[in-house]
Amino acid sequence: MEKESTSLLWCRLWSNRRGGEKVHRFNQMKPANNSLPGRGSSRKSSSGKEGIALITTLVVVALLVAVVVEFNRTAVAEIEISKNFSEDKRITHLAISSVNAIKDLLHLEGMGSKEDTLLEDWAKAQSLFETAGGALQEGVLEGTIVDECGKINVNSLVNEKGQFDDVQQNLWERLLKQPRFGLSSDQIEAIVHGVKDWIDKDDEVTGIFGAEDSFYRARGYGCRNGPFHTIEELLLIKGMTNEIFFGHGTREGICSYFTVFGKAEINVNTAPVPVLMAFSEQMTEDLALEMDKFRRDETNKRALSNKTWYKTIWPYGELLPEKTMTVSSDAFSVHLKVTLGESVKEIRAVISRASESEPSLLYWKEI
Ligand SMILES: [Ca+2]
Ligand SMILES: [Ca+2]
């Protein structure tokens, strides 16, 4: 029965891909009772949930395999047309197709449940890419998907009045003082104040370490006085270095824990352990690791729909800053590595998935 369903879905998707349709026939993929819920609605039964999860998994594998098979077919056809068809173009074609498949995956998972967790298929992208890559005639497809909403949003450090958001400032300071980054208290203050001045619209230097236009003009560029557009923009801030941003030796870089995409709230289901540790002065690494273990346990899946699940582990009276916590996400980054023959290409893309609309591409960069 399962084999028959997989085959049926594959054929439908394959047929759609060949016809160039972007939108898949969700009606045909609905369970017989027509109970596929919209994003944000409650699910009717656990069997319904399992059904949706199974369908999502089947569709994702079918999508990625279809992408690769289509790629092989197109590549062979185009090679016959032009002998100058370069590996570079073929890699780009495969990368675009793969990111489109990921957009479909995120759309489907968004329809299945309102919460986003590390138990979902997007978080197991490596194995999905391996499955799809197995259908490649030559080459390797590797990749990861990361929830950008599990990170601290750089632009949320400053409120509409141009002042520090206290909760966000605390998050920054608690994160950056972790020994993994090897930063002194002066360095931390310089980064936090520098970022605040970069965003705020005024030209008043914050504290003794901040910097405004007069400082940056000497470097040949102006102060943004507005929101960050990319996370790499942090490298322009006074006090920031390549070593701090990317890491060096045993020191970890800070770049994996900040984002410019998504919302101010952090998804407690997907935030990396160091970000969990930044939620409270009382949060130890052991506690954060225990939270991480809890949210990766399939038997706790239902609990993850409510951001207060942490209380089942949290031993302290003081609550975590729940206003800055969420269980759902609207921005995901894809890191893709495609190898064909001697050519290798890495792509970083960011996909936005606002509720009630199809995912869209926010960012695309060939590394
Ligand atoms: Ca300022
Ligand atoms: Ca400013």
Side-chain angles (χ1 to χ4, degrees):
M1 181 62 189
E2 185 181 322
K3 206 170 180 179
E4 191 181 304
S5 303
T6 313
S7 170
L8 188 63
L9 283 168
W10 196 91
C11 288
R12 283 174 182 153
L13 287 160
W14 173 234
S15 157
N16 284 350
R17 284 280 161 193
R18 285 175 67 91
E21 289 178 33
K22 188 182 170 198
V23 180
H24 304 295
R25 300 175 188 167
F26 291 118
N27 290 340
Q28 291 179 10
M29 291 189 279
K30 281 181 181 178
N33 64 4
N34 237 10
S35 63
L36 191 66
R39 186 169 172 79
S41 64
S42 61
R43 284 188 255 171
K44 289 177 182 171
S45 67
S46 61
S47 63
K49 284 182 187 178
E50 285 159 11
I52 290 161
L54 176 63
I55 287 172
T56 304
T57 305
L58 293 176
V59 167
V60 170
V61 172
L63 269 173
L64 284 167
V65 171
V67 162
V68 171
V69 174
E70 171 69 5
F71 166 75
N72 284 332
R73 188 185 68 83
T74 310
V76 169
E78 293 197 28
I79 284 168
E80 286 169 2
I81 294 167
S82 166
K83 289 183 179 173
N84 294 325
F85 188 78
S86 68
E87 275 182 346
D88 192 59
K89 282 182 184 170
R90 295 170 65 206
I91 285 183
T92 302
H93 177 80
L94 182 56
I96 292 170
S97 305
S98 300
V99 170
N100 281 335
I102 298 304
K103 280 164 71 178
D104 291 334
L105 157 64
L106 292 170
H107 189 47
L108 279 167
E109 290 201 325
M111 291 170 75
S113 63
K114 70 179 174 66
E115 69 274 12
D116 295 294
T117 76
L118 296 173
L119 297 170
E120 293 177 308
D121 281 323
W122 65 263
K124 302 163 192 162
Q126 184 59 49
S127 63
L128 293 173
F129 284 126
E130 277 171 19
T131 305
L136 270 175
Q137 286 172 349
E138 49 175 327
V140 181
L141 186 62
E142 299 164 276
T144 53
I145 302 176
V146 172
D147 178 7
E148 290 295 301
C149 295
K151 304 176 182 179
I152 296 173
N153 191 313
V154 174
N155 293 321
S156 302
L157 180 64
V158 180
N159 63 25
E160 304 91 45
K161 293 177 183 168
Q163 302 301 317
F164 275 123
D165 180 300
D166 292 341
V167 176
Q168 294 287 333
Q169 187 181 2
N170 286 336
L171 283 171
W172 277 74
E173 289 171 355
R174 287 193 212 108
L175 177 74
L176 295 180
K177 76 178 184 187
Q178 292 174 28
R180 72 188 75 242
F181 304 116
L183 295 171
S184 69
S185 55
D186 282 359
Q187 283 179 303
I188 294 169
E189 198 172 329
I191 293 168
V192 175
H193 289 189
V195 169
K196 193 240 176 200
D197 279 339
W198 187 260
I199 299 172
D200 72 29
K201 291 184 171 57
D202 63 53
D203 286 321
E204 291 168 33
V205 174
T206 302
I208 52 171
F209 294 114
E212 288 285 0
D213 211 47
S214 54
F215 173 83
Y216 294 112
R217 286 290 166 204
R219 285 187 172 187
Y221 53 87
C223 183
R224 168 79 72 190
N225 285 339
F228 282 74
H229 293 183
T230 67
I231 198 64
E232 288 79 11
E233 213 173 304
L234 274 175
L235 286 163
L236 301 177
I237 301 297
K238 182 186 173 191
M240 183 61 68
T241 63
N242 278 337
E243 288 73 23
I244 295 173
F245 188 77
F246 294 111
H248 182 69
T250 56
R251 290 182 178 185
E252 205 178 328
I254 68 166
C255 60
S256 309
Y257 304 110
F258 291 96
T259 186
V260 297
F261 301 105
K263 47 197 179 183
E265 294 85 15
I266 296 167
N267 188 338
V268 70
N269 292 338
T270 60
V273 165
V275 175
L276 290 180
M277 290 168 67
F279 276 131
S280 168
E281 281 293 340
Q282 295 170 311
M283 179 76 80
T284 61
E285 185 159 19
D286 284 347
L287 258 177
L289 287 169
E290 208 176 321
M291 285 175 70
D292 189 48
K293 194 176 166 192
F294 181 92
R295 67 189 181 175
R296 291 176 188 273
D297 184 340
E298 284 280 349
T299 60
N300 297 324
K301 202 170 183 177
R302 191 181 292 258
L304 302 180
S305 62
N306 189 327
K307 62 186 173 187
T308 59
W309 63 258
Y310 75 88
K311 289 180 186 171
T312 58
I313 297 164
W314 191 243
Y316 303 107
E318 188 187 328
L319 300 177
L320 296 185
E322 290 178 7
K323 278 187 182 172
T324 60
M325 292 159 61
T326 182
V327 290
S328 64
S329 301
D330 58 11
F332 296 82
S333 59
V334 183
H335 184 191
L336 201 59
K337 184 178 175 187
V338 188
T339 308
L340 280 180
E342 298 295 306
S343 302
V344 181
K345 185 171 276 189
E346 288 188 61
I347 304 281
R348 184 164 183 260
V350 179
I351 296 167
S352 163
R353 187 193 55 191
S355 58
E356 308 301 327
S357 61
E358 282 209 27
S360 58
L361 200 59
L362 286 177
Y363 179 86
W364 177 276
K365 186 181 180 187
E366 296 188 11
I367 303 167

